[in-house]
């Protein structure tokens, strides 16, 4: 009986946290997983090939919890485009990593916070104060 009450508590917590989603399965069905693990690459002949892809091991994050790694790659991407400009191709390395690791809802939330100027990262704010914002890179 304790297990049943615990499950109902967890279920009500899910409903409160995810709104219209009734279970974790409903929540994950909403997330677009079609991009995760794959990279579409345009070949020299103009065709597009899909390759299996995953981030390599990062010794800074040996634990199973990938949230700190996700957040750091997002911040590193923002720092890169701040200093080098939007079109700078090497910044895509960070973008590929955070897109693969982070849940899309987190990325949407963080992008919204960046647009409103309320993203809660002292590290990013210090970086932006230290370096002037770059113009968009020529392609």
């Amino acid at each position: 009986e304790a297990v049943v009450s615990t499950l109902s508590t967890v279920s009500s917590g899910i409903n409160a946290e995810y709104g219209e989603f009734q279970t974790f399965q409903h929540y994950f069905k909403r997330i677009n997983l079609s991009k995760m693990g794959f990279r579409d690459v345009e070949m020299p002949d103009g065709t597009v090939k899909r390759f299996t892809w995953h981030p390599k091991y990062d010794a800074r994050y040996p634990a199973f919890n990938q949230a700190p790694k996700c957040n750091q790659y997002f911040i590193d991407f923002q720092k890169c485009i701040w200093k080098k400009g939007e079109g700078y191709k090497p910044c895509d390395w960070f973008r590929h990593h955070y897109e693969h690791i982070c849940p899309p809802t987190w990325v949407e939330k963080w992008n919204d916070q960046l647009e409103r100027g309320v993203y809660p990262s002292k590290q990013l704010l210090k970086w932006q104060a230290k370096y002037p914002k770059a113009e968009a890179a020529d392609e």
Side-chain angles (χ1 to χ4, degrees):
E1 193 165 313
V3 171
V4 172
S5 65
T6 303
L7 288 176
S8 64
T9 304
V10 169
S11 178
S12 64
I14 292 170
N15 291 338
E17 185 175 351
Y18 300 114
E20 73 272 11
F21 307 112
Q22 300 301 314
T23 64
F24 286 117
Q25 288 79 16
H26 288 97
Y27 172 69
F28 286 111
K29 282 181 185 175
R30 179 178 171 268
I31 296 175
N32 181 10
L33 298 176
S34 62
K35 282 182 68 177
M36 293 188 71
F38 298 103
R39 288 287 167 247
D40 293 330
V41 177
E42 186 172 345
M43 304 308 283
D45 63 356
T47 61
V48 176
K49 285 193 172 181
R50 179 168 274 200
F51 292 95
T52 303
W53 182 89
H54 60 87
K56 301 298 181 220
Y57 177 74
D58 189 340
R60 297 177 298 170
Y61 305 102
F64 182 74
N65 182 2
Q66 295 296 293
K69 184 177 182 180
C70 159
N71 189 28
Q72 188 60 50
Y73 282 134
F74 183 81
I75 290 172
D76 289 344
F77 175 72
Q78 297 304 321
K79 287 166 40 175
C80 184
I81 62 172
W82 180 268
K83 188 168 183 188
K84 297 294 186 177
E86 292 280 338
Y88 190 63
K89 294 290 183 193
C91 294
D92 286 345
W93 187 88
F94 296 112
R95 184 178 53 81
H96 289 308
H97 279 66
Y98 84 72
E99 281 180 350
H100 185 82
I101 297 169
C102 302
T105 52
W106 290 10
V107 175
E108 290 169 14
K109 178 182 174 184
W110 292 339
N111 284 328
D112 181 52
Q113 289 174 336
L114 281 170
E115 288 173 8
R116 292 184 292 135
V118 296
Y119 184 73
S121 170
K122 291 180 183 177
Q123 179 187 11
L124 186 58
L125 292 174
K126 286 179 186 176
W127 180 269
Q128 291 174 342
K130 185 176 180 180
Y131 297 101
K133 186 169 184 169
E135 297 298 322
D138 295 332
E139 294 192 25

